[in-house]
Amino acid sequence: MKTSSRWLIIFGVTIGVLVIAAVALVLTMTPKDAHLLPENTPEGTVQRYFLALQAEDYLTAYSYLSPPPTEKYPYEEWRGPFTSPGEKPEWKVTLGKTTVKDNQATVDVVVDVFRPSGPFDNPVRTNEITFFLKKEGTSWKITLPWDVWWLFY
């Protein structure tokens, strides 16, 4: 084997090891769980609502809505026609400004939905939305919006 070929192989193996090490570091250093905000705050209610949706625990998600739905809300049906089997859009929620006045509150959120797309399309769709909440006893309930179907397409 020529010396130049040997050096090329060593260089390629070194680059491969560095890439694997970088990926391993990113995967191990990324926080797995979000810091949970207190549930008796408007931000904590919205955070738990999205966490329940992400876990596909729709009954828990419905418990954060007011008035509670009288029948099952069709999140499963919405996701079905918009995604192929095994393909589920990923999304990330960033909590923004919260305004509380008496027993009413608003929470601004930014939702980034990540979907693979063509070479000329943006794979990230950003949605800015304001949640309206009211205080019921010691907890907060979401009064609007009730549906976030756009997360699933």
Side-chain angles (χ1 to χ4, degrees), residues 128-148:
E128 296 179 15
I129 190 163
T130 300
F131 280 83
F132 294 86
L133 298 94
K134 71 176 180 178
K135 192 164 192 173
E136 294 181 358
T138 59
S139 63
W140 289 90
K141 298 289 184 175
I142 298 169
T143 57
L144 287 172
W146 262 35
D147 59 351
V148 288

